[in-house]
Amino acid sequence: MPSHAQLGEILDTVSTVLLTVECQEGVVGPDSALPELALAARQSGALANVARLVAAAHGSGVQVIHAIAERRPDGRGANHNARLFRAAERLPVQQLSGTAAVRVAPPIEVAEEDIVVRRLHGLSPIQGTDVDALLRNLGCRTLIVTGVSANVAVPNAVFDAVNRGYTVVVPGDAIAGVPSEYTPAMIRNTLALVATVATTDEVLHCLERSGGAGQG
């Protein structure tokens, strides 16, 4: 884990953006299409930690972007080129545009200044979406990545951000995947090689200090 000083240097509130990945009702909510993942996100405390980070971002002036995965009712533009996509088409809960399934899930609160980016295709919250252009226009240098899943979308987001030149911070207790034991192994053996891994409390401490200093 980085020291508070090292993490504090990375997490300048002026150039830091917090990204939540697929923290939507149809994924992590009580009526999730993926109940095992939803259970892992809640029982591990990851979803609650995402909510804590979002609240701290709102308080410290850090921009929040919510990345949502959805599909049109007619399926136009959606991928069909992997088993994951074909399985999703058969799930009882569909992530359809305009439905409750694609709303950001409680306890995460969406503020007026937050940006919600919706994608109709692919696996990545960044590749092929507006996120990269938004980050550059916002002056982002450091991206905090949170949410689900540690299996697919989160590592996609981390790698895509690193490949585009951003410094990435991953609060390891604010992401979740299945099975539950996979997440810490993936963080240790994969994400830690390319991102700064910290805890939610460590990130909160830095945001609160940086935000307070900036407001003073």
Side-chain angles (χ1 to χ4, degrees):
M1 294 290 182
S3 69
H4 283 308
Q6 291 170 326
L7 193 60
E9 289 179 5
I10 298 171
L11 293 174
D12 171 13
T13 54
V14 175
S15 59
T16 295
V17 173
L18 172 65
L19 179 70
T20 76
V21 178
E22 296 183 23
C23 292
Q24 57 202 75
E25 290 275 13
V27 176
V28 296
D31 298 319
S32 170
L34 304 164
E36 186 181 1
L37 177 58
L39 186 64
R42 291 178 179 276
Q43 286 190 341
S44 68
L47 188 62
N49 283 333
V50 175
R52 293 171 65 206
L53 288 163
V54 168
H58 292 158
S60 62
V62 168
Q63 179 67 53
V64 179
I65 297 178
H66 304 281
I68 301 295
E70 60 182 47
R71 59 185 284 124
R72 288 166 50 110
D74 60 12
R76 288 180 183 271
N79 287 69
H80 306 282
N81 58 333
R83 190 174 73 177
L84 176 65
F85 300 123
R86 295 190 293 272
E89 293 173 1
R90 299 191 295 270
L91 292 173
V93 177
Q94 295 288 307
Q95 314 299 319
L96 299 181
S97 302
T99 68
V102 296
R103 295 176 190 159
V104 176
I108 299 168
E109 294 187 0
V110 181
E112 184 177 354
E113 64 268 21
D114 291 2
I115 299 172
V116 179
V117 177
R118 303 179 182 277
R119 77 175 194 274
L120 293 172
H121 62 86
L123 299 169
S124 173
I126 296 178
Q127 172 67 32
T129 75
D130 290 336
V131 170
D132 182 39
L134 291 170
L135 293 177
R136 295 189 185 283
N137 289 345
L138 290 164
C140 176
R141 292 199 301 269
T142 299
L143 184 66
I144 305 171
V145 177
T146 66
V148 297
S149 74
N151 305 78
V152 179
V154 167
N156 260 268
V158 171
F159 285 127
D160 286 346
V162 170
N163 284 334
R164 285 161 174 76
Y166 301 104
T167 297
V168 177
V169 173
V170 176
D173 53 357
I175 68 171
V178 290
S180 58
E181 61 269 21
Y182 173 75
T183 301
M186 190 276 297
I187 292 172
R188 182 174 60 254
N189 295 301
T190 302
L191 297 189
L193 302 178
V194 296
T196 298
V197 177
T199 66
T200 293
D201 284 343
E202 288 170 335
V203 173
L204 289 174
H205 177 76
C206 291
L207 293 184
E208 288 163 1
R209 288 191 61 184
S210 180
Q215 291 163 12

